[in-house]
Amino acid sequence: MNRDALARLRDDPIDWRYKCFPAAEGVTPATVGKCGWNLLRGDLLLPALVLKESALAHNIDLMARYCERHGVSLAPHGKTTMSPELFERQLAAGAWGLTAATASQVRVYRALGVERIVLANELVEPAAVRFVAAELEADPALDFYCLVDSQQAVEAMTRALEGRAARPIQALVELGLPGGRTGCRSLEAAREVAAAVARSPVLTLAGVEGFEGIVHSDDLAADLARVDAFLDDLKELVAELGPAGHFDGREEAVVTVGGSAYFDRVVERLARPADFPVRVVLRSGCYLTHDSGYYDHLSPLGERGPDGERLEPALEAWGTVLSRPEPDRAILGLGKRDASHDIDLPLPLHASGREGLRDVRGSLALFDLNDQHAYLRLPQDDPLAVGDLVGCGISHPCTAFDKWRLIPVVDDEYTVIGAVHTFF
């Protein structure tokens, strides 16, 4: 990581650019922990999204130990947070690299000094291809990978790099799911793409890739069977390409698959995918903060996992009770601009007021969300009053971080001890 860039961020004043932080002269992310600001005491400008430090530290450590125990590498998907401070912690905990979804995200990573990047997407736009080539030419230490799923993509990259003296771009053949997103729809198509990469003077085949995270229905058993079948196909593809000479000259082939929902299936099916050196790389990103909904239900280190250590939700969105216009309804100052809502509405966890901090799970529920307001249903005899605070868990953290440019980090008493930037 680029220490100078991180130092500049830590010394950047916290001012009007960053919502939820009170006005205070000379406060920076490096010094905000000295202010003694406490969310429950009313020191922040609500609504606020906060990160709980104890859960963050637990999740980083647990995932690092999980990967070490199972002999796999981790390149966390950075699009979840796009946070330099969190990237630094993930890499310090042993992450092999970082995953990106777009060329713009790769540009952020490079500005931060990230040296190993998996672009889990096709790279076909000429400007993006040229940008990557320039980075490879300027930095011999850069270890970059991208995906290809068609001969047309190979041809587009080859045209964009014509006449450039850059190092070859390392490509991963992507296998996809019928009816899914990108990726070759058959093993035969994947073989043809691998052959096209071999013919290109500007590409080199580094391995294979897949993404099983799009598998989701109301039938978990059927989903797991579909994921397993997909991983078995991926394993077959790896086993075919190696003996055919596609990875000759490489110390190892890279096989990367595994979002935040089914990475245990990846470990089970692909821990030893071939008889030649292979590095299996998980790309889980949401493990870092986990959630109180979608991933908590699906994760092998959540509800779906066996008894034992579990990931903990680190993100909470807090709003003030603005009105209680009807006995069974309250309106919170918290909305779509503050918390994720693409899969589930925020889930009320805590309330803080004259009754102190109390657990409200199961008794309070959000049933609608506007840009800046949340509709809360509650028992008529609940003591929740105007001015009280409600803290909500979120579902799918990827669409929560992008709403905040600077996020407070709090301890278990909700005192602000730090802050992290995001770059979306």
Side-chain angles (χ1 to χ4, degrees):
M1 294 286 284
N2 185 329
R3 301 295 176 185
D4 290 339
L6 290 169
R8 288 195 297 271
L9 289 175
R10 293 187 179 107
D11 293 335
D12 187 42
I14 297 177
D15 54 23
W16 56 269
R17 294 170 294 171
Y18 305 118
K19 59 184 182 179
C20 95
F21 289 92
E25 186 87 20
V27 177
T28 68
T31 63
V32 69
K34 300 177 181 179
C35 296
W37 293 335
N38 185 277
L39 183 149
L40 303 183
R41 197 170 56 230
D43 295 333
L44 300 185
L45 302 174
L46 298 191
L49 185 77
V50 299
L51 279 164
K52 301 189 77 171
E53 169 58 30
S54 60
L56 272 179
H58 169 81
N59 294 345
I60 291 171
D61 176 68
L62 178 56
M63 194 64 177
R65 286 188 284 111
Y66 180 93
C67 291
E68 183 178 10
R69 183 167 69 249
H70 292 288
V72 297
S73 298
L74 177 66
H77 213 318
K79 71 175 176 61
T80 300
T81 70
M82 289 305 294
S83 171
E85 294 91 346
L86 296 179
F87 292 166
E88 181 183 36
R89 293 180 65 169
Q90 291 173 299
L91 290 168
W96 179 74
L98 289 178
T99 297
T102 68
S104 294
Q105 291 171 6
V106 173
R107 186 182 181 190
V108 173
Y109 295 4
R110 292 300 296 146
L112 296 171
V114 178
E115 293 285 8
R116 180 175 287 120
I117 301 169
V118 177
L119 175 61
N121 213 339
E122 275 61 31
L123 183 68
V124 295
E125 314 95 313
V129 176
R130 290 193 295 267
F131 164 72
V132 169
E135 290 294 307
L136 288 168
E137 192 169 4
D139 184 0
L142 175 59
D143 192 20
F144 176 85
Y145 305 81
C146 69
L147 312 186
V148 287
D149 71 350
S150 67
Q151 297 183 60
Q152 291 89 345
V154 172
E155 292 165 2
M157 294 177 70
T158 302
R159 284 195 303 272
L161 292 171
E162 187 175 3
R164 299 186 67 91
R167 285 189 283 144
I169 292 179
Q170 298 180 103
L172 305 171
V173 173
E174 180 176 23
L175 189 66
L177 285 154
R181 214 157 58 187
T182 51
C184 301
R185 292 311 199 244
S186 68
L187 292 174
E188 179 57 33
R191 295 184 199 105
E192 293 173 357
V193 171
V197 171
R199 292 191 297 270
S200 172
V202 295
L203 303 180
T204 182
L205 189 64
V208 302
E209 185 274 351
F211 179 58
E212 82 298 348
I214 60 171
V215 176
H216 180 58
S217 72
D218 294 330
D219 188 340
L220 180 58
D223 288 345
L224 293 176
R226 189 180 179 201
V227 167
D228 287 348
F230 173 66
L231 295 173
D232 288 344
D233 284 345
L234 197 69
K235 184 174 182 177
E236 182 178 344
L237 178 61
V238 177
E240 288 185 12
L241 293 180
H246 285 284
F247 307 129
D248 287 356
R250 300 189 63 85
E251 292 184 3
E252 62 185 13
V254 172
V255 177
T256 176
V257 62
S260 296
Y262 306 113
F263 54 81
D264 60 324
R265 314 307 295 180
V266 176
V267 166
E268 180 180 316
R269 312 302 269 213
L270 294 177
R272 290 182 56 84
D275 294 328
F276 50 89
V278 172
R279 180 182 295 274
V280 177
V281 181
L282 304 182
R283 300 196 307 276
S284 311
C286 296
Y287 81 89
L288 180 63
T289 61
H290 201 47
D291 70 7
S292 299
Y294 180 75
Y295 284 114
D296 189 48
H297 174 63
L298 286 179
S299 173
L301 292 176
E303 289 182 10
R304 192 170 61 77
D307 293 339
E309 288 187 286
R310 291 179 56 165
L311 296 169
E312 299 174 359
L315 274 176
E316 291 181 4
W318 284 78
T320 307
V321 179
L322 303 178
S323 175
R324 191 163 175 181
E326 298 163 12
D328 63 347
R329 175 177 297 203
I331 305 299
L332 305 182
L334 174 71
K336 294 178 179 178
R337 297 188 183 277
D338 312 305
S340 54
H341 54 89
D342 57 322
I343 294 181
D344 302 299
L345 294 180
L347 176 71
L349 302 175
H350 318 287
S352 178
R354 291 169 297 178
E355 306 290 322
L357 185 66
R358 59 192 177 94
D359 191 323
V360 296
R361 282 172 287 195
S363 61
L364 276 60
L366 293 185
F367 64 92
D368 200 3
L369 212 60
N370 296 155
D371 285 357
Q372 307 289 182
H373 295 88
Y375 295 74
L376 183 68
R377 184 175 290 113
L378 70 169
Q380 295 188 15
D381 60 353
D382 190 279
L384 193 72
V386 170
D388 286 355
L389 311 182
V390 176
C392 299
I394 57 92
S395 184
H396 193 204
C398 292
T399 52
F401 277 90
D402 64 311
K403 297 168 175 55
W404 298 83
R405 297 178 62 190
L406 190 69
I407 301 174
V409 179
V410 300
D411 63 19
D412 287 346
E413 284 70 47
Y414 293 93
T415 295
V416 177
I417 59 174
V420 301
H421 293 81
T422 70
F423 289 89
F424 285 94

